[in-house]
Amino acid sequence: MQSNAVSLVRKAEDIPRDVFRLFLALILGASLVLGQAVRADARGAPESFADLAQQISPSVVNITTSTTVAASTERGPIIPEGSPFEDFFRDFMDRQGRGDDGAPRRSEALGSGFVISEDGFIVTNNHVIEGADDIEIEFFSGNRLNATLVGTDPKTDIALLKVDSDAPLPFVPFGDSDLMRVGDWVVAMGNPLGQGFSVSAGIVSARNRALSGTYDDYIQTDAAINRGNSGGPLFNMDGQVIGVNTAILSPNGGSIGIGFSMASNVVTKVVAQLKEFGETRRGWLGVRIQDVTPDVAEAMGLADAKGALITDVPDGPAKDAGMVAGDVILSFDGAEVADTRELVRRVADAPIGEAVRVLVMREGKTQTLSVTLGRREEAEADEAVPAVAVPETPTEAEVLGLTVQPVTAEMAEALGLPAGTEGLAVTAVDQVSEAYAKGLREGDVITEAGQQKVVRIKDLQDRIDEAQEAGRKSLLLLIRRGGDPRFVALSIEE
């Protein structure tokens, strides 16, 4: 029997030449498309991550911090009998093997980091080293060096350390996080659960995630990230750092495949400022803003629901430049503004003390204003000092299913937290609340909300209000339990 292909060609001889050519072109085109589709479907995981792991390992470090917890000024229990903390403190002390002899003790914590220059600059998370008396760096080779703190940025949870080494240190470069696509392979490395150097692989699950911080730009990944991975690097397949592993969403504190790494394009700017100044220096416009929703856009006669709507203009650079409530910022320094998040980041990255052109929509007409930016850190410092001292009330409140009150020195000591720890102690948890379902319990201490410190009950409520005004669905809390920090995101939808 002859092949069907031969039979087809014989029959094709009777077909007009131009029709036959079209027929062949269609077949060839379909074959090419099919071939490309097959190749795309067949593209799988690398055969091995071993070469990459070998390349990056020398630059990743384990970080051990230690803090001296001050001695108690009195012996015996310091919590009144019948206190809601009584059982928790007793169990906690028993687990830690701590008596009531009043002797000072050391508290240790573990994290990860990575070397970014041969002269010993190291990047990690702020929450890894916050409040530490001593910071020790363990290298992949086994060498250990003490580190000094160069600077921190709690808003992005980034810290910069420095070690002095006799020999140049192996380091890793930053990559461009904006080039990462959902589905790209990534590798995380660090010190999970204190087990030592460990590598995990996964993909980019999502981009541009915002948990609750003002400058959030997280890469979401399913590469395993656990406690102790905080501050460690997230690599692309070229061995470049495209994120700093910072947080996980988990009902039990372990990895369930939802981890977040602060994008490198945010981190590099923070690190550059910490290296040069020892602190961040962000631009400040001086306005309160909200996103332009479709209904607002329609009401204001805007063609598109984009930009940042100004709701208030207190004293500051924007007011000096003539901005008023009701203006919609459409572009900043020549770049279009999609929403409030984008405007906040653009302003933060802009140079302080220099004039910037801002395009606003006012009463249906566009207008260009020239604004000389101030420094955000100075503005926030001024706002932190009230004109009149107001008594702190109330001393206890129920928020997000939690009953909280400011931490006292006695509470901090009994909880095994560093001396001087500030925050809100959880005295009760509603058992039908999301907070309880996510593992929060009596004795936990909230030290940050929205990546800003909380000391008073008002601080927490302000962070909730800010997040709701910004359209956030959840608020990220930094919880400490016996000195061990972890992030928990709680819903704030009304």
Side-chain angles (χ1 to χ4, degrees):
M1 178 175 101
Q2 296 289 333
S3 105
N4 289 334
V6 173
S7 175
L8 177 62
V9 170
R10 285 176 177 169
K11 292 180 182 179
E13 290 173 353
D14 299 328
I15 301 174
R17 182 171 297 179
D18 54 346
V19 176
F20 183 62
R21 287 175 176 173
L22 176 61
F23 177 70
L24 288 178
L26 290 173
I27 292 177
L28 291 173
S31 300
L32 179 60
V33 171
L34 179 60
Q36 290 175 338
V38 170
R39 285 195 296 273
D41 292 340
R43 186 182 303 163
E47 292 184 1
S48 173
F49 294 97
D51 290 339
L52 178 59
Q54 186 175 13
Q55 172 191 338
I56 62 180
S57 293
S59 304
V60 182
V61 300
N62 291 343
I63 298 177
T64 303
T65 64
S66 58
T67 305
T68 301
V69 180
S72 173
T73 56
E74 58 184 75
R75 297 175 61 84
I78 58 176
I79 301 301
E81 185 175 353
S83 164
F85 285 113
E86 185 178 13
D87 291 339
F88 172 80
F89 287 159
R90 183 180 296 111
D91 293 342
F92 177 79
M93 290 299 199
D94 290 343
R95 287 197 305 270
Q96 298 298 316
R98 296 174 182 172
D100 58 354
D101 58 1
R105 56 185 182 271
R106 300 289 287 176
S107 175
E108 291 192 345
L110 301 173
S112 306
F114 55 98
V115 184
I116 61 169
S117 64
E118 65 178 10
D119 57 346
F121 283 99
I122 295 172
V123 173
T124 186
N125 279 146
N126 174 60
H127 75 259
V128 169
I129 52 81
E130 186 176 20
D133 295 327
D134 299 300
I135 306 172
E136 185 181 65
I137 306 299
E138 179 189 2
F139 295 88
F140 190 74
S141 63
N143 292 336
R144 296 174 181 266
L145 292 173
N146 290 326
T148 57
L149 180 62
V150 177
T152 66
D153 178 32
K155 293 186 181 300
T156 57
D157 201 8
I158 295 298
L160 183 64
L161 310 176
K162 180 69 166 64
V163 296
D164 293 324
S165 173
D166 295 333
L169 296 173
F171 65 96
V172 285
F174 283 105
D176 187 348
S177 55
D178 288 343
L179 297 179
M180 299 303 294
R181 303 172 302 163
V182 172
D184 280 345
W185 284 100
V186 288
V187 167
M189 187 170 183
N191 181 22
L193 303 174
Q195 296 302 302
F197 293 94
S198 177
V199 174
S200 60
I203 62 169
V204 173
S205 303
R207 289 291 321 277
N208 304 122
R209 290 297 201 201
L211 300 182
S212 61
T214 306
Y215 307 106
D216 284 2
D217 184 7
Y218 284 103
I219 296 172
Q220 180 184 328
T221 179
D222 65 349
I225 297 175
N226 288 281
R227 297 182 190 179
N229 275 114
S230 290
L234 187 70
F235 291 99
N236 61 19
M237 292 298 97
D238 294 323
Q240 300 170 330
V241 178
I242 48 86
V244 178
N245 301 324
T246 301
I248 60 174
L249 286 183
S250 171
N252 54 20
S255 174
I256 59 170
I258 306 178
F260 299 93
S261 298
M262 183 61 75
S264 61
N265 286 358
V266 173
V267 178
T268 51
K269 295 169 185 174
V270 171
V271 169
Q273 291 189 346
L274 294 180
K275 185 182 291 188
E276 183 175 0
F277 306 114
E279 59 186 1
T280 55
R281 297 188 177 184
R282 294 188 170 98
W284 177 58
L285 185 58
V287 293
R288 294 186 176 92
I289 52 178
Q290 69 179 59
D291 285 332
V292 178
T293 58
D295 56 337
V296 170
E298 182 180 5
M300 298 185 70
L302 300 176
D304 299 305
K306 61 182 181 180
L309 173 61
I310 298 177
T311 59
D312 188 28
V313 187
D315 292 339
K319 187 174 184 179
D320 294 340
M323 287 189 185
V324 297
D327 285 352
V328 177
I329 299 177
L330 301 178
S331 76
F332 179 86
D333 199 18
E336 288 190 2
V337 172
D339 53 27
T340 55
R341 282 185 64 204
E342 185 172 337
L343 176 62
V344 169
R345 292 215 296 263
R346 290 191 185 282
V347 172
D349 293 340
I352 299 169
E354 295 185 16
V356 175
R357 294 168 64 86
V358 181
L359 179 67
V360 302
M361 175 72 74
R362 180 182 300 173
E363 297 179 353
K365 298 180 181 180
T366 58
Q367 183 175 346
T368 299
L369 303 174
S370 179
V371 184
T372 301
L373 299 179
R375 185 183 171 198
R376 185 182 182 98
E377 290 81 2
E378 293 177 354
E380 290 177 342
D382 291 340
E383 292 176 359
V385 181
V388 179
V390 180
E392 172 62 28
T393 57
T395 57
E396 185 175 85
E398 294 183 10
V399 184
L400 302 177
L402 305 169
T403 302
V404 296
Q405 67 180 64
V407 173
T408 64
E410 291 79 8
M411 288 181 186
E413 181 180 359
L415 284 166
L417 298 170
T421 295
E422 296 179 320
L424 299 176
V426 177
T427 60
V429 185
D430 184 347
Q431 295 190 16
V432 298
S433 68
E434 179 191 18
Y436 188 88
K438 290 191 173 180
L440 272 72
R441 298 293 184 268
E442 294 180 12
D444 287 346
V445 175
I446 305 171
T447 58
E448 290 184 11
Q451 294 181 289
Q452 297 184 51
K453 286 186 177 181
V454 291
V455 178
R456 306 166 302 170
I457 293 171
K458 183 178 183 300
D459 296 336
L460 177 57
Q461 190 59 59
D462 286 346
R463 300 295 83 77
I464 294 173
D465 292 343
E466 290 172 2
Q468 288 175 335
E469 290 175 3
R472 310 272 191 217
K473 295 182 179 179
S474 61
L475 181 67
L476 190 68
L477 305 180
L478 180 58
I479 308 296
R480 291 186 180 273
R481 180 179 297 173
D484 186 19
R486 70 185 178 105
F487 284 107
V488 176
L490 296 183
S491 173
I492 56 172
E493 291 185 291
E494 296 178 331

